[in-house]
Amino acid sequence: MQESLVLYPAPGFHHMVSMVEFGKLILRHHPYFKVTILVTTMPSDTATTSLYIDTISQINVPISFFTLPSIDLPQSIAQSRTEAAVELIRLNSANVVDALGALSLTSTVVALITSAFHVAYHPHIPTYYYFTSCASALAVILYLPTIHDQTSKSFKDLDDTLLHFPGLPPLKASEMPDALRDRDDPAYRYFLDVASRLPRLKGVIVNTFDSLEPHVIKAIIDGACVVSETTPPIYRVGPFIVDAKDRAVGFREVSFDCLAWLDSQPQRSVVFLCFGRRGSFSELQLKEMAIGLEKSNHRFLWVVKSPLNSNTEPDLEVLLPEGFLERTKDRGVVVKSWAPQSAILSHESIGGFVTHCGWNSVLEAVTCGVPMAAWPLYAEQRMNSVVLVEDMKLATPIEKVSSSSISEELVSAEELEKRVRLLMDSESEEGKGLRERSLAVKAMAMEAWTSGGSSCASFSKLVASWKQGY
């Protein structure tokens, strides 16, 4: 029978997209494998995921999709994305076992690769954990049981206490990933359980490369992050990037006019601002951003979403300062909701990237050699920001301020203006250093997937382990 791989992404649209990209990577190098993806969705992502799967099927990518039975979550749980995802993973355990049994009737399943780890799903099918963030975040998860035993407090109650993880710069407790901030939260207990089980798996797959995160990768491989057990094999197979057309799913009207505008701009003259699928801001913050961009006097391409808790299309005339669009029309473009990020970052006119520090966005900037200004928003992005700034030295940090007169932390217009100037001005010593470092790491990223490169070699070892594991 044909050898097959079963991929099981955690609930959430970005997990599905990332897993499909990994499936494409496998098939590019080893097309003889059959690749099947198990599908389960968050209630809020069902329509988008269905449309995405239809799109992938229509472009003749040889990936099959196996939809798991639907699960109705209690309303109280469904309101929380993280809690809902954890509960779906738990409740789907039996469905995954059944699916593996059914798929094994028609092919030889050589491995289960999952970012929705719960238990050893099948005693005779080797399980690999697919980690969707960076090796730095993986080190935090692996070391979590150790640091958990060092305190009885939640990270959210430790404020700016410095935490020390092997291979990482010191992290403030406030910079820990959202899912780990409250030790009584189901998400925290889930990742604590994941950390305790990972050493027993056949391996962990990470979308990174050795020269991007050398210190933390060495710490993991040397066993510094897993104190009481043996560290599983860590396969570094990045960078691989999501196609721009795949990110467009769910947006009815996608304009690529911004690419034509970039064609008319000088080389490395435009700063790009984009904050991911969930990167929305308050009206007050949007106005501060507009003022900062205007005062910077630099060319810009800015993706603006509707304000927080709004499902309507953004009305730029209302959201942005009066006259802003007219005053900046000769040097700036504002795009509603979505833009082809990877295509934009690879354009020669882009000179800097203001980003939320989501790992896929970071990798896109890295592979294009674009320096970053780090504006983290949620999930593990605050931790990513610290690593980007202090360890990788690929970004400058954007600082938020709080005020007794407002109910939210803001990035001021002055702060954004300062960081944009730093990124874009050729006279800035720090900005020059970021640009030089970014171009050097771009070359390292290309080297990783050449013959004999670190990611190419690691991927070959991963494929060999599939052959040996059954």
Side-chain angles (χ1 to χ4, degrees):
M1 289 194 290
Q2 184 179 11
E3 295 176 333
S4 71
L5 299 164
V6 177
L7 281 52
Y8 175 36
F13 180 70
H14 71 285
H15 285 282
M16 172 62 73
V17 173
S18 184
M19 196 67 91
V20 167
E21 285 306 307
F22 183 59
K24 291 179 184 177
L25 175 69
I26 294 169
L27 292 170
R28 267 199 307 274
H29 294 272
H30 300 280
Y32 53 82
F33 279 121
K34 177 182 179 182
V35 174
T36 301
I37 296 182
L38 305 184
V39 180
T40 185
T41 61
M42 299 277 282
S44 58
D45 293 332
T46 301
T48 303
T49 301
S50 296
L51 180 58
Y52 172 70
I53 290 172
D54 289 343
T55 301
I56 295 299
S57 300
Q58 290 169 11
I59 60 176
N60 296 319
V61 175
I63 292 176
S64 302
F65 295 89
F66 187 108
T67 302
L68 300 177
S70 61
I71 293 175
D72 293 325
L73 295 174
Q75 190 65 24
S76 58
I77 292 178
Q79 296 304 309
S80 166
R81 287 186 64 88
T82 303
E83 190 173 357
V86 170
E87 186 66 2
L88 278 171
I89 291 170
R90 186 184 70 82
L91 294 175
N92 259 322
S93 180
N95 293 330
V96 173
V97 172
D98 291 343
L100 290 171
L103 293 169
S104 296
L105 296 175
T106 56
S107 63
T108 301
V109 180
V110 298
L112 169 67
I113 301 164
T114 179
S115 58
F117 183 63
H118 179 57
V119 295
Y121 288 107
H122 197 288
H124 304 302
I125 298 176
T127 301
Y128 295 75
Y129 189 53
Y130 177 77
F131 194 70
T132 56
S133 190
C134 52
S136 299
L138 176 61
V140 168
I141 298 299
L142 289 171
Y143 198 67
L144 184 61
T146 299
I147 213 159
H148 173 84
D149 292 337
Q150 293 174 356
T151 178
S152 60
K153 291 185 177 181
S154 294
F155 295 129
K156 67 182 178 63
D157 298 323
L158 293 174
D159 300 320
D160 289 337
T161 300
L162 288 179
L163 306 172
H164 299 276
F165 293 86
L168 294 178
L171 295 171
K172 295 177 183 177
S174 58
E175 293 165 339
M176 290 295 285
D178 290 344
L180 304 182
R181 288 175 55 76
D182 184 353
R183 66 197 286 137
D184 294 323
D185 190 288
Y188 181 95
R189 295 195 295 271
Y190 168 75
F191 281 107
L192 188 64
D193 184 59
V194 166
S196 69
R197 295 176 184 269
L198 282 180
R200 304 166 210 165
L201 297 187
K202 293 291 290 184
V204 180
I205 302 162
V206 192
N207 187 6
T208 191
F209 55 100
D210 287 3
S211 52
L212 181 61
E213 302 183 85
H215 304 115
V216 73
I217 288 173
K218 184 178 187 303
I220 294 173
I221 293 174
D222 287 349
C225 297
V226 179
V227 175
S228 59
E229 297 190 65
T230 302
T231 302
I234 308 297
Y235 299 100
R236 297 85 62 202
V237 298
F240 53 89
I241 306 300
V242 177
D243 290 341
K245 62 181 178 295
D246 292 341
R247 289 191 183 277
V249 171
F251 296 98
R252 290 187 299 275
E253 297 179 5
V254 177
S255 173
F256 288 75
D257 292 346
C258 57
L259 295 176
W261 178 79
L262 285 174
D263 290 340
S264 65
Q265 306 307 309
Q267 187 175 19
R268 295 194 172 273
S269 66
V270 179
V271 62
F272 178 44
L273 299 91
C274 190
F275 300 90
R277 199 175 185 89
R278 293 166 53 199
S280 297
F281 297 95
S282 67
E283 292 188 34
L284 178 59
Q285 181 65 87
L286 288 172
K287 286 182 167 58
E288 286 289 315
M289 294 164 76
I291 294 168
L293 286 174
E294 185 171 0
K295 287 185 174 180
S296 76
N297 291 321
H298 282 285
R299 293 175 174 85
F300 64 87
L301 174 56
W302 180 19
V303 181
V304 173
K305 297 183 183 296
S306 296
L308 294 166
N309 303 318
S310 172
N311 294 320
T312 60
E313 184 177 84
D315 186 336
L316 301 181
E317 295 290 349
V318 172
L319 295 175
L320 305 181
E322 184 177 355
F324 169 79
L325 294 173
E326 178 64 25
R327 290 192 301 272
T328 61
K329 65 180 181 181
D330 293 332
R331 62 179 176 85
V333 170
V334 181
V335 179
K336 294 181 181 180
S337 301
W338 185 89
Q341 180 171 287
S342 57
I344 290 170
L345 285 170
S346 64
H347 198 286
E348 64 179 9
S349 294
I350 295 298
F353 181 29
V354 180
T355 174
H356 64 309
C357 304
W359 188 239
N360 285 331
S361 294
V362 168
L363 285 179
E364 288 178 356
V366 164
T367 56
C368 294
V370 178
M372 291 167 269
W375 186 336
L377 299 177
Y378 53 85
E380 85 286 12
Q381 294 162 12
R382 288 180 296 275
M383 186 214 69
N384 288 352
S385 172
V386 174
V387 174
L388 273 172
V389 172
E390 298 186 18
D391 193 40
M392 299 179 189
K393 301 191 185 306
L394 294 172
T396 183
I398 292 180
E399 305 292 341
K400 295 181 181 180
V401 296
S402 56
S403 170
S404 57
S405 62
I406 56 176
S407 59
E408 62 175 306
E409 284 190 324
L410 283 179
V411 170
S412 68
E414 293 76 16
E415 172 69 2
L416 183 59
E417 176 190 357
K418 171 185 173 183
R419 297 301 172 177
V420 168
R421 287 184 180 274
L422 187 152
L423 278 180
M424 305 301 293
D425 288 348
S426 57
E427 295 83 12
S428 162
E429 194 63 32
E430 185 180 347
K432 182 181 178 181
L434 286 174
R435 286 189 291 278
E436 291 176 350
R437 170 69 176 159
S438 297
L439 290 174
V441 175
K442 173 185 177 180
M444 296 175 190
M446 296 175 65
E447 173 70 21
W449 264 104
T450 59
S451 178
S454 62
S455 294
C456 186
S458 190
F459 184 70
S460 295
K461 290 179 181 178
L462 174 62
V463 175
S465 75
W466 295 337
K467 301 276 189 181
Q468 298 165 358
Y470 71 99

